[in-house]
Amino acid sequence: MIKLWSTFFVVTLLTCFVANNVAEQCSLSAKGSPNFPANFSFGVATAAYQIEGGWNADGKGPSIWDDFTHSDPEKIRDKSNGDIAADSYHRFEQDLQALKELKVNHYRFSIAWSRIYPTGDISSRNQKAIDYYNHVIDKLIANGIKPMVTMFHYDLPSEIQKIGGFTNSLLINQFVVYAIELFENYGDRVKTWITFNEPYDYCHNGYGDATYPPQVYAPGVADYLCIDNTLKAHAAAYRSYQSRFAKTQGGKVGITLDSRYFFSKTNDEDVIDRAMQYNLGLLAHPIFSKTGGYPDVMIMDIGANSQKEGRIRSRLPSFKGKWRDIVKGSADFLGLNYYSSRYIKPASKPNGVSPSWERDFNCDASIDPKWLRAASDWLYCVPEGLEGILKFIRDEYDNVEVIITENGWSDDGTGLIDDDRIRYLKSHLQAVLNAINDGCNVRGYTTWSLIDNFEWLRGYTEKFGLYAVNMSSPNRERTAKKSAGYYREVIQKRQIPSLF
Ligand code: BGC
């Protein structure tokens, strides 16, 4: 009997220890007021290719993700594609139902460029697509949900890629024409616009290491060119909005950038700053810094590396003529996608191939094995990193307005009780609140994602939704996970409820 009791005691103690330990790994203590500001906006996000399906419905043209998943299915973990996905193109009402249940203040979704202009060009303008997004926007507004529109989320019209896509500066004008089409049609109701989602990712993966479409392998060259053209296209669209629409429509235009935050085991501030400049700074410095242009450290390194490689000019383009000024200050807010962090140190041996962003950066990243991991192998719960990056933005970019446009956690789809997602959500909301209490100008928070969806190279094997989607049913029913209830409570109380 005594043995039984002592075993019970040890097991209970161990269970408590494990539970506490898990919670500690993914939690953050509160600093300051427990209330989110009255005008703080809570939302959820999705993106067209990941949820819409209807890949060729009503005249939609192909995008580079349609082409890639059709021609190279083996490159997607489960050989799937976005042809049907969650079928939101035909089932928006089901998404709306979920949005209403959550009582979100805003819904961030993206418009498929190749629906509006099937060839990417105005000559192919597709009224049915214009009508579809009109319907979505009207329904959101009728239900008191503010639309937050991303104009580009990875799905470049294939025809534009045929002439080089983001490596051809013609893209700048093509994007501006498309942006104006959106402002003209939807700007009376859409007041928050995001030009591009995560340029670093689609440039580095699409034109650098070729893991994403259009699979151009030109690391350290075409990826920087893609970033340069993205910055110019963004700025040109922003300036068009300012000169033609801002007065009458009164909306805001920003860009969504993603970055990890970095820690140093030896408190090496220089390496932390280097990592921040190479990640967030590459796109944020030209737009949000006082001086504009790329971060000095990148200009110097890449210039020197290019010279060593025998080139006559830097692989990192320099803004010529007025471009530096056009890009500087070209955003009303910074959209931030934050998922995770890393430890960083100077590289012990040259990193990556030469040339490449990795070789230029030349740092080694690592994780803390104690960090709680999601279903995605890159995603660890590090809420301190969100607080850190928000303070970095406050100090580096003159406390520009920030909207967190993505933050989320993946599961493997085995159940609806997603306690780890709730832990992640709770601790990251705490990070946001701590940052606000510390003077950071954060105006909104958006969970990725409303529903499970096509997770790019991982297909449907990693699920980020607050709602599960029954992918084997033609109706694609949405079912709330436990985290949906938790988030609804956050939104209702405008406070962070305690766990479970
Ligand atoms: C992207 C989303 C993606 C999410 C999770 C972000 O980088 O914007 O499209 O699904 O991360 O990987």
Side-chain angles (χ1 to χ4, degrees), residues 182-391:
L182 302 188
F183 297 147
E184 276 173 348
N185 284 284
Y186 309 127
D188 55 335
R189 289 151 293 154
V190 174
K191 302 299 170 191
T192 310
W193 294 99
I194 293 158
T195 53
F196 292 96
N197 179 71
E198 299 194 351
Y200 173 83
D201 282 55
Y202 65 76
C203 289
H204 179 270
N205 303 352
Y207 299 87
D209 68 14
T211 49
Y212 275 15
Q215 301 189 84
V216 172
Y217 184 78
V221 178
D223 40 5
Y224 291 139
L225 201 51
C226 167
I227 283 167
D228 204 63
N229 284 324
T230 297
L231 283 166
K232 290 171 179 166
H234 157 80
Y238 177 82
R239 302 291 171 203
S240 298
Y241 189 82
Q242 288 310 306
S243 60
R244 293 181 49 183
F245 303 97
K247 232 188 222 147
T248 48
Q249 298 185 351
K252 289 182 175 178
V253 180
I255 185 167
T256 281
L257 309 179
D258 62 311
S259 180
R260 292 178 175 159
Y261 189 64
F262 298 93
F263 300 98
S264 156
K265 286 186 178 148
T266 57
N267 294 321
D268 181 346
E269 295 291 330
D270 289 346
V271 80
I272 294 177
D273 192 62
R274 177 181 181 78
M276 289 309 297
Q277 298 302 342
Y278 263 85
N279 285 272
L280 183 65
L282 173 57
L283 281 125
H285 196 277
I287 303 175
F288 299 103
S289 72
K290 283 215 173 71
T291 50
Y294 292 109
D296 286 345
V297 63
M298 295 193 74
I299 296 174
M300 279 178 340
D301 291 349
I302 302 172
N305 290 348
S306 303
Q307 212 174 11
K308 274 190 236 150
E309 292 151 16
R311 295 171 200 269
I312 50 171
R313 61 176 178 203
S314 177
R315 286 179 280 102
L316 184 68
S318 61
F319 290 115
K320 294 211 179 65
K322 290 205 165 86
W323 273 114
R324 189 182 175 116
D325 288 338
I326 295 172
V327 172
K328 184 161 64 99
S330 64
D332 300 314
F333 65 90
L334 191 164
L336 176 71
N337 288 358
Y338 172 85
Y339 284 88
S340 200
S341 289
R342 292 290 184 269
Y343 277 95
I344 200 81
K345 64 176 173 49
S348 45
K349 56 177 175 34
N351 245 337
V353 296
S354 173
S356 63
W357 173 89
E358 284 78 2
R359 181 62 63 92
D360 293 330
F361 179 29
N362 229 24
C363 286
D364 290 337
S366 61
I367 56 124
D368 181 337
K370 289 205 289 295
W371 288 341
L372 183 67
R373 209 200 90 179
S376 309
D377 58 8
W378 53 271
L379 179 47
Y380 295 87
C381 179
V382 196
E384 301 81 355
L386 179 53
E387 199 176 327
I389 200 168
L390 290 171
K391 289 180 184 167

Side-chain angles (χ1 to χ4, degrees), residues 18 21 77 114 120 156 165 182 199 228 259 294 301 420 498:
V18 172
N21 222 15
R77 188 181 286 161
S114 66
L156 188 70
L182 302 188
D228 204 63
S259 180
Y294 292 109
D301 291 349
D420 282 349
S498 52

Side-chain angles (χ1 to χ4, degrees), residues 50 153-154 197-198 337 339 378 406 448 455-456 464:
Q50 295 179 273
H153 197 123
Y154 299 180
N197 179 71
E198 299 194 351
N337 288 358
Y339 284 88
W378 53 271
E406 282 181 38
W448 181 270
E455 177 54 15
W456 308 115
F464 278 84

Side-chain angles (χ1 to χ4, degrees), residues 65 68 75-78 211-213 454-459:
W65 272 91
F68 174 62
K75 294 196 172 157
I76 308 297
R77 188 181 286 161
D78 56 2
T211 49
Y212 275 15
F454 179 78
E455 177 54 15
W456 308 115
L457 299 182
R458 275 98 171 176

